[in-house]
Amino acid sequence: MSVSRRTPARAIRRRARALARLSLFASLSEDDLERLAAAAREVRYETSAYICRRGEPGEHLFVITAGRVLVKHGARVLAYQTVGDVVGELAVLDHRPRSADVVAAEPTQLLALGGREFRALLRQGGDLVTQLLGVLAGRVRDTSARQERVDQLVRAYRERGHALASLDPLAFKPSRTHPELTLEHYGLGDQDLDGAFAVALGREVERLRLREIVERLRAVYCGALGVQYMHIDDLGVQSWLRERLEDPAYHQPLGRDAQLRILAKLTDAEIFETFLQRRFAGAKRFSLEGAETLIPLLDQAIEKAAALGVEEIVIGMAHRGRLNVMANVLGEPAARILSEFEGIDLDRSYGMGDVKYHRGFAADRVTAGGHRVHLSLCFNPSHLEVVGTVVLGRARADQDRIADRYGSRVLPLIVHGDAAFAGQGVVQELFNLSTLPGYATGGALHVIVNNQIGFTTPPEEGRSSQYATDVARMLQIPIFHVNGEQPEAVHRVIQLALDFRSTFHRDVVIDMYCYRRHGHNERDEPAFTQPLLYAAVAPREPIRVSFARNLVALGEVAEQEADDIALQSRRSLEHELERLRQGQLSQARIRSARGVWERYRGGAESDVPECKTALTREELVELLAGLSTLPSGFSAHPRVKRLLAARRAMADGARRVDWGAAEALAFASLLAQGVSVRLSGQDSQRGTFAHRHAVIHDASTDARCVPLERFADQGNRFEVFNSPLSETAVLGFEFGYSLNRPDALVLWEAQFGDFANVAQVIVDQFLSSSEEKWGRLSGLTLLLPHGFEGQGPEHSHARPERFLQLGVGDNLQVVMPSTAAQFFHCLRRQVLRRWRKPLIVFTPKGLLQHPCLASTLDDFSHDGFRRVIGDDNAPAAASAARLVLCSGKLYHEIDAERRKRQRHDVHCVRLEQLYPFPAESLGDVLASYPPQVPLVWAQEEPENMGARAFVREYLSALPQVGSRTITHIARPPSASPATGSLATHTAQQSELLDRVLAGG
């Protein structure tokens, strides 16, 4: 500090004039001003010099005449003050130590006014006191108002900064603006840029110039990364994300090792695509070119997840880039991929197989950090987004098996396309499963390869939302939009995303903007429909080239080093192709199942031995007793009490066992044998028709009791979930679950059987064909309530003809049990046999508690599931005038009507299993009837639906049918499954039964 020692009269008058210009001293007389000026000293401080120190007594106040000072509290900057501002006055007024440090921000000149003289003037009263109060109040008010406006600007950047982010690598569209991200919107201007304001950036509260605040916010929120997280209601989650995004450490350049790894992965991705293009020009591969950064993204996702404790990653993706991922992320040998382009089947697949970009693959990988992680890429047909539900189901199954309650050890990772993500409703269904008890996985990692086009449809024609990801905002999760040509930004995002998932056990979305170099496939010409866009794409160099050039310029990598990486990648592919073409790789049968699937098999049903499903009477009685017992003091609803009392009567033999009790017996007996049971569907805990009551509620407290849980004591468990009002996602989930839990009985129940129509894509593309296409087995059971009872077109018909049409090569089982015991044996057979095929059960609705479907305890303790049931209620076969074949509840209606009419010459045989068709069992029954007895197939469904056409084909091939005439009785052909009129239904049913029994 330097001080002027002499104060000439001229200098005093100059200082007095200067003081008079300040609002604080404007009311003083000329004499008072000169007296104050005479007592003042001119002082000068160099940069960083302390003018005042916190804790010292305040003897002077200072008027800044040149330069700028910082008011600080420790490391925090509280304010910037400049020419004309007064500092230090508060300590002078209250005689207390100074509360802050004042430091010269640059060479600064001030007038140091004596505190004694200043206080003497205040004691004189007059306008000086008023002026002082006005100055202090004005400063507080102005500072507060401007601070509030700056706070609003800061929040706007956090909420809207993504709107200005540089996300599109092509920069094809004009850059966007947003009024809330301008100074003018908040009444601020360039004159405020050097003003100091308090702001919480990262983990620290700082006092920064507005210019610096805006620069840092733009760098965080408007660069290569745009983040949406302010829609999250939990302030703790918001703060967690904000602190990390705004922390300068997050934006530090990556080290050389990380940069080299990214470069190597980008190189592998690019060389793989260009090699295939050169060697197999025009072959479909759904190239990743333009989005090569997906490979280092997935690579780092695996590395990071493994470091966080993940041991298994279940991956789902559509066809774009799939081959590249299989080669460069999962490590499938290149020769096996190349063999498919060469037309060589190295792994002889089951059945017809599938195209190369739909296949799955699994491998173990040891990460750079030494962690072992199992990677499993799900097979996927062209129904792009449906596979996400399968991924979730598989991940949940593995989590349940190893008791991974929070998903810390198993991670679902789903790669989406932008157009499909926005366009397909199953995505919303998938997100809706995210935190539901029966379907939560601890959060899935969603990666969108945003090509900014869907086949030939641009975003503005393919969605009504700003972003493809907007459906994901239904969850309390962050959405990261990132420029795919900024690999370092992508690298940082994947680290943050997985940290978020690990911390909060929620989904997280990464929307990676890129482009598609070719058309939808390599035979497509994109310039037909997007000429300007593809004129911009054509000259672009691969991201590998620009990334390598940048590293070379920064001195991180030598140019020769980058070239050597590319050369080695290319030579490796050339070598693999040469080995393949020279026949050095032998063909091999597909590997036999391992792990959880080692005990199970597919193939033909005839090759599988039967299993024992019957229980002793003592076992049945014990199980029924346990199922009908509630905890002491538990008060169930009166109707539930009656149901439990009925089950106790069943145990005593005083009452036959109804459908609901038979199901509970099947579940309880399997649980007692160490088998887990999982059932989900809409209202499945109670049962659509109030027949199940697997979860019982206390009528007074709503406490819950699950009687079946008491039978699960061997590490297994019983679970029943009320699913969301969804079919596609839930059925896809349960199919995925069944893929990884062949040891469990996994069931999905439709509220009404025809609701399965909504999930037909799961049935067609996965359930019925997975063994044929991919060699993957499933033991999933579908319970589809079916039967004509006058409830209208949408609640009558589960479309058995569709499932029967899909039946070929024993790929699935279709049954229509007619008694409770048959249902019991069928469910037990499904899991106790080592044969794993989907099971479709057409269950009754209105007759669930009817005596005609009920069975005696002996029916449960003898035999097993009967594929065909002869007519036990008819006299000898020789007396038959006609032989009626049917399935399901129709038998009971026919039987009741023939008793009423005393038509004992009409015999009725039940087909309990429709597929695989029980030719041998049915042939044995038919052989007992004289060859002249005519044969009738009867069904409730219209003639163009149901099993009529299916059964006719198989019947005609049976030798035992011989020359018998075959008549088909059904409702008239119809476009609608059933009538909406109860009166019409009753008339139709009566006519149908009349034709069956009267010979019509």
Side-chain angles (χ1 to χ4, degrees), residues 48-99:
S48 300
Y50 280 85
I51 300 165
C52 302
R53 286 185 180 272
R54 185 161 58 98
E56 293 179 345
E59 294 297 330
H60 294 81
L61 71 155
F62 300 88
V63 177
I64 304 172
T65 56
R68 191 164 58 103
V69 303
L70 293 89
V71 181
K72 299 176 64 177
H73 191 285
R76 292 168 48 204
V77 176
L78 303 179
Y80 282 95
Q81 292 187 288
T82 188
V83 176
D85 284 336
V86 178
V87 295
E89 71 275 12
L90 294 180
V92 170
L93 291 173
D94 63 11
H95 301 285
R96 297 178 64 184
R98 298 195 186 275
S99 59

Coordinates of all heavy atoms in Angstrom, one line a residue, residues 48-99:
S48 N -4.1 -8.4 -5.5 CA -4.1 -9.4 -4.4 C -3.8 -8.9 -3.0 O -3.7 -9.7 -2.1 CB -3.2 -10.6 -4.8 OG -3.6 -11.2 -6.0
A49 N -3.5 -7.6 -2.9 CA -3.2 -7.0 -1.6 C -4.5 -6.9 -0.8 O -5.6 -6.6 -1.3 CB -2.5 -5.7 -1.7
Y50 N -4.4 -7.2 0.5 CA -5.6 -7.1 1.4 C -5.8 -5.6 1.8 O -4.9 -4.9 2.3 CB -5.4 -7.9 2.7 CG -5.6 -9.4 2.4 CD1 -4.7 -10.2 1.9 CD2 -6.9 -9.9 2.7 CE1 -4.9 -11.5 1.7 CE2 -7.2 -11.2 2.5 CZ -6.2 -12.1 2.0 OH -6.5 -13.4 1.8
I51 N -7.0 -5.1 1.6 CA -7.4 -3.8 2.1 C -7.9 -3.9 3.5 O -7.6 -3.0 4.3 CB -8.4 -3.2 1.1 CG1 -7.8 -3.1 -0.3 CG2 -8.9 -1.8 1.6 CD1 -8.8 -2.8 -1.4
C52 N -8.7 -4.8 3.7 CA -9.3 -5.1 5.1 C -9.2 -6.6 5.3 O -9.3 -7.4 4.3 CB -10.7 -4.7 5.2 SG -11.1 -3.0 4.8
R53 N -9.0 -7.0 6.5 CA -9.0 -8.5 6.8 C -10.1 -8.8 7.8 O -10.4 -8.0 8.7 CB -7.7 -8.9 7.5 CG -6.5 -8.9 6.5 CD -5.3 -9.5 7.1 NE -4.1 -9.5 6.2 CZ -3.9 -10.6 5.5 NH1 -4.7 -11.6 5.5 NH2 -2.8 -10.6 4.7
R54 N -10.7 -9.9 7.6 CA -11.8 -10.4 8.5 C -11.3 -10.6 9.9 O -10.2 -11.1 10.1 CB -12.4 -11.7 7.9 CG -13.6 -12.2 8.7 CD -14.3 -13.3 7.9 NE -13.5 -14.4 7.5 CZ -13.4 -15.6 8.1 NH1 -14.2 -15.7 9.2 NH2 -12.7 -16.5 7.7
G55 N -12.1 -10.0 10.9 CA -11.7 -10.1 12.2 C -11.0 -8.9 12.8 O -10.8 -8.7 14.0
E56 N -10.4 -8.0 11.9 CA -9.7 -6.8 12.4 C -10.8 -5.8 12.7 O -11.9 -5.7 12.2 CB -8.8 -6.3 11.3 CG -7.6 -7.2 10.9 CD -6.8 -6.6 9.8 OE1 -7.2 -5.7 9.1 OE2 -5.6 -7.1 9.7
P57 N -10.4 -4.8 13.6 CA -11.3 -3.7 13.9 C -11.4 -2.8 12.7 O -10.5 -2.6 11.9 CB -10.6 -3.0 15.1 CG -9.1 -3.4 15.0 CD -9.1 -4.7 14.4
G58 N -12.6 -2.2 12.6 CA -12.8 -1.3 11.4 C -12.6 0.2 11.8 O -13.5 0.8 12.4
E59 N -11.5 0.7 11.4 CA -11.2 2.1 11.7 C -11.5 3.1 10.5 O -11.6 4.3 10.7 CB -9.7 2.3 12.1 CG -9.3 1.6 13.4 CD -10.0 2.2 14.6 OE1 -10.3 3.4 14.5 OE2 -10.4 1.4 15.5
H60 N -11.6 2.5 9.3 CA -11.8 3.4 8.2 C -12.9 2.7 7.3 O -13.1 1.5 7.3 CB -10.5 3.5 7.3 CG -9.4 4.3 8.0 ND1 -8.6 3.7 9.0 CD2 -9.0 5.6 7.9 CE1 -7.7 4.6 9.4 NE2 -8.0 5.8 8.8
L61 N -13.5 3.6 6.5 CA -14.3 3.1 5.4 C -13.6 3.7 4.1 O -12.9 4.6 4.2 CB -15.8 3.5 5.4 CG -16.1 5.0 5.2 CD1 -17.6 5.1 4.7 CD2 -16.0 5.8 6.5
F62 N -13.9 3.0 3.0 CA -13.1 3.3 1.8 C -14.0 3.6 0.6 O -15.1 2.9 0.4 CB -12.2 2.1 1.4 CG -11.2 1.7 2.5 CD1 -11.6 0.8 3.5 CD2 -9.9 2.2 2.4 CE1 -10.6 0.5 4.5 CE2 -9.0 1.9 3.4 CZ -9.4 1.0 4.4
V63 N -13.6 4.6 -0.2 CA -14.3 4.9 -1.4 C -13.4 4.5 -2.6 O -12.3 5.0 -2.6 CB -14.7 6.4 -1.5 CG1 -15.4 6.7 -2.8 CG2 -15.6 6.7 -0.3
I64 N -13.9 3.6 -3.5 CA -13.0 3.2 -4.6 C -13.0 4.3 -5.7 O -14.1 4.7 -6.2 CB -13.6 1.9 -5.2 CG1 -13.7 0.8 -4.1 CG2 -12.7 1.4 -6.3 CD1 -14.3 -0.5 -4.6
T65 N -11.8 4.8 -6.0 CA -11.7 5.8 -7.0 C -11.1 5.3 -8.3 O -11.3 5.9 -9.4 CB -10.9 7.0 -6.5 OG1 -9.6 6.4 -6.1 CG2 -11.5 7.7 -5.3
A66 N -10.5 4.1 -8.3 CA -10.0 3.5 -9.5 C -9.7 2.0 -9.2 O -9.3 1.6 -8.1 CB -8.7 4.1 -9.9
G67 N -10.1 1.1 -10.2 CA -9.8 -0.3 -10.0 C -11.0 -1.1 -9.5 O -12.2 -0.6 -9.6
R68 N -10.7 -2.2 -8.9 CA -11.8 -3.1 -8.5 C -11.4 -4.0 -7.4 O -10.2 -4.4 -7.3 CB -12.2 -4.0 -9.7 CG -13.4 -4.9 -9.6 CD -13.8 -5.4 -11.0 NE -12.7 -6.2 -11.6 CZ -12.7 -7.5 -11.6 NH1 -13.7 -8.2 -11.1 NH2 -11.7 -8.2 -12.2
V69 N -12.3 -4.3 -6.4 CA -11.9 -5.1 -5.3 C -12.9 -6.3 -5.2 O -14.0 -6.3 -5.7 CB -12.0 -4.3 -3.9 CG1 -11.1 -3.1 -4.0 CG2 -13.4 -3.9 -3.6
L70 N -12.4 -7.4 -4.5 CA -13.2 -8.5 -4.2 C -13.5 -8.6 -2.7 O -12.6 -8.3 -1.8 CB -12.5 -9.9 -4.5 CG -12.2 -10.2 -6.0 CD1 -10.9 -9.6 -6.3 CD2 -12.2 -11.7 -6.2
V71 N -14.8 -8.8 -2.3 CA -15.1 -9.0 -0.9 C -15.3 -10.5 -0.8 O -16.1 -11.2 -1.4 CB -16.5 -8.3 -0.6 CG1 -16.8 -8.5 0.9 CG2 -16.4 -6.8 -0.9
K72 N -14.5 -11.1 0.2 CA -14.4 -12.6 0.3 C -14.6 -13.0 1.7 O -14.3 -12.3 2.7 CB -13.0 -13.0 -0.2 CG -12.6 -12.7 -1.6 CD -11.2 -13.1 -1.9 CE -11.0 -14.6 -1.9 NZ -9.7 -15.0 -2.3
H73 N -15.1 -14.2 1.8 CA -15.2 -14.9 3.1 C -14.5 -16.2 3.0 O -15.1 -17.2 2.4 CB -16.7 -15.1 3.5 CG -16.9 -15.5 4.9 ND1 -16.6 -16.8 5.4 CD2 -17.3 -14.8 6.0 CE1 -16.9 -16.8 6.7 NE2 -17.3 -15.6 7.1
G74 N -13.3 -16.3 3.4 CA -12.5 -17.5 3.2 C -12.2 -17.6 1.7 O -11.8 -16.6 1.0
A75 N -12.5 -18.8 1.1 CA -12.3 -19.0 -0.3 C -13.5 -18.5 -1.2 O -13.4 -18.4 -2.4 CB -12.0 -20.4 -0.6
R76 N -14.6 -18.1 -0.5 CA -15.8 -17.7 -1.3 C -15.7 -16.2 -1.6 O -15.5 -15.4 -0.7 CB -17.0 -18.0 -0.5 CG -17.3 -19.5 -0.3 CD -18.4 -19.8 0.7 NE -19.5 -18.9 0.5 CZ -20.4 -18.6 1.5 NH1 -20.2 -19.0 2.7 NH2 -21.4 -17.8 1.2
V77 N -16.0 -15.9 -2.8 CA -16.1 -14.5 -3.3 C -17.6 -14.1 -3.0 O -18.5 -14.6 -3.6 CB -15.7 -14.4 -4.7 CG1 -15.9 -12.9 -5.2 CG2 -14.3 -14.8 -4.9
L78 N -17.7 -13.0 -2.2 CA -19.1 -12.6 -1.9 C -19.5 -11.4 -2.8 O -20.7 -11.3 -3.1 CB -19.1 -12.0 -0.4 CG -18.7 -13.0 0.7 CD1 -18.8 -12.4 2.0 CD2 -19.6 -14.3 0.6
A79 N -18.6 -10.6 -3.3 CA -19.0 -9.5 -4.2 C -17.7 -9.0 -4.9 O -16.6 -9.1 -4.4 CB -19.6 -8.4 -3.3
Y80 N -18.0 -8.4 -6.0 CA -17.1 -7.5 -6.7 C -17.6 -6.1 -6.6 O -18.8 -5.8 -6.7 CB -17.0 -7.9 -8.2 CG -16.2 -9.1 -8.5 CD1 -16.8 -10.3 -8.7 CD2 -14.8 -9.0 -8.7 CE1 -16.1 -11.5 -9.0 CE2 -14.1 -10.2 -9.0 CZ -14.8 -11.4 -9.2 OH -14.0 -12.5 -9.5
Q81 N -16.7 -5.1 -6.2 CA -17.1 -3.7 -6.2 C -16.1 -2.9 -6.9 O -14.9 -3.2 -7.0 CB -17.2 -3.3 -4.7 CG -18.3 -4.0 -4.0 CD -18.5 -3.5 -2.6 OE1 -17.7 -3.7 -1.7 NE2 -19.6 -2.7 -2.4
T82 N -16.6 -1.8 -7.5 CA -15.8 -1.0 -8.4 C -15.9 0.5 -8.1 O -16.5 0.9 -7.1 CB -16.1 -1.4 -9.9 OG1 -15.2 -0.7 -10.7 CG2 -17.5 -1.0 -10.2
V83 N -15.4 1.3 -9.0 CA -15.3 2.8 -8.8 C -16.7 3.3 -8.3 O -17.7 3.1 -8.9 CB -14.9 3.5 -10.1 CG1 -14.9 5.0 -9.9 CG2 -13.5 3.0 -10.5
G84 N -16.6 4.1 -7.2 CA -17.8 4.8 -6.7 C -18.4 4.0 -5.5 O -19.2 4.5 -4.8
D85 N -18.1 2.7 -5.4 CA -18.6 1.9 -4.3 C -17.9 2.2 -3.0 O -16.7 2.6 -3.0 CB -18.5 0.4 -4.7 CG -19.5 -0.1 -5.7 OD1 -20.5 0.6 -5.8 OD2 -19.2 -1.1 -6.4
V86 N -18.6 2.1 -1.9 CA -18.1 2.3 -0.6 C -18.0 0.9 0.1 O -18.9 0.1 0.0 CB -19.0 3.2 0.3 CG1 -18.4 3.3 1.7 CG2 -19.2 4.5 -0.4
V87 N -16.8 0.6 0.7 CA -16.6 -0.6 1.4 C -16.2 -0.4 2.8 O -15.5 0.7 3.1 CB -15.6 -1.5 0.7 CG1 -16.1 -1.9 -0.7 CG2 -14.3 -0.8 0.5
G88 N -16.5 -1.3 3.7 CA -16.0 -1.2 5.1 C -16.9 -0.4 6.0 O -16.5 -0.2 7.2
E89 N -18.0 0.2 5.5 CA -18.7 1.1 6.3 C -19.5 0.5 7.5 O -19.7 1.1 8.6 CB -19.8 1.9 5.5 CG -21.0 1.1 5.0 CD -20.7 0.4 3.7 OE1 -19.5 0.3 3.3 OE2 -21.6 -0.1 3.1
L90 N -19.8 -0.8 7.4 CA -20.6 -1.5 8.4 C -19.7 -1.6 9.7 O -20.2 -1.4 10.8 CB -21.1 -2.8 8.0 CG -22.2 -2.8 6.8 CD1 -22.6 -4.2 6.5 CD2 -23.4 -1.9 7.3
A91 N -18.5 -2.0 9.5 CA -17.6 -2.2 10.7 C -17.4 -0.8 11.4 O -17.2 -0.8 12.6 CB -16.3 -2.8 10.3
V92 N -17.3 0.2 10.6 CA -17.1 1.6 11.2 C -18.3 2.0 12.0 O -18.2 2.6 13.0 CB -16.9 2.6 10.0 CG1 -16.9 4.0 10.6 CG2 -15.5 2.3 9.4
L93 N -19.5 1.6 11.5 CA -20.7 2.0 12.2 C -21.0 1.2 13.5 O -21.5 1.7 14.5 CB -21.9 1.8 11.3 CG -22.0 2.8 10.1 CD1 -23.1 2.4 9.1 CD2 -22.1 4.2 10.6
D94 N -20.8 -0.2 13.5 CA -21.2 -0.9 14.6 C -20.0 -1.3 15.6 O -20.2 -2.0 16.5 CB -21.9 -2.2 14.2 CG -21.0 -3.2 13.4 OD1 -19.8 -2.9 13.3 OD2 -21.6 -4.1 12.8
H95 N -18.8 -0.8 15.3 CA -17.6 -1.0 16.1 C -17.3 -2.4 16.3 O -16.7 -2.8 17.3 CB -17.9 -0.3 17.5 CG -18.1 1.1 17.5 ND1 -17.2 2.1 17.2 CD2 -19.3 1.8 17.6 CE1 -17.7 3.3 17.3 NE2 -19.0 3.2 17.5
R96 N -17.7 -3.3 15.4 CA -17.4 -4.7 15.5 C -16.3 -5.1 14.5 O -16.1 -4.4 13.5 CB -18.7 -5.6 15.2 CG -19.8 -5.3 16.2 CD -21.0 -6.1 15.9 NE -20.8 -7.5 16.0 CZ -21.7 -8.5 15.7 NH1 -22.9 -8.1 15.3 NH2 -21.4 -9.7 15.8
P97 N -15.6 -6.2 14.7 CA -14.6 -6.6 13.7 C -15.1 -6.8 12.3 O -16.3 -7.1 12.2 CB -14.0 -7.9 14.3 CG -14.4 -7.8 15.7 CD -15.7 -7.1 15.8
R98 N -14.3 -6.6 11.4 CA -14.8 -6.7 10.0 C -15.2 -8.2 9.7 O -14.6 -9.1 10.2 CB -13.6 -6.4 9.0 CG -13.2 -4.9 9.2 CD -12.4 -4.4 8.0 NE -11.9 -3.1 8.2 CZ -12.6 -2.0 7.9 NH1 -13.8 -2.0 7.5 NH2 -12.0 -0.8 8.1
S99 N -16.3 -8.3 8.9 CA -16.9 -9.7 8.7 C -16.3 -10.3 7.4 O -16.7 -11.5 7.2 CB -18.4 -9.5 8.6 OG -18.7 -8.7 7.6

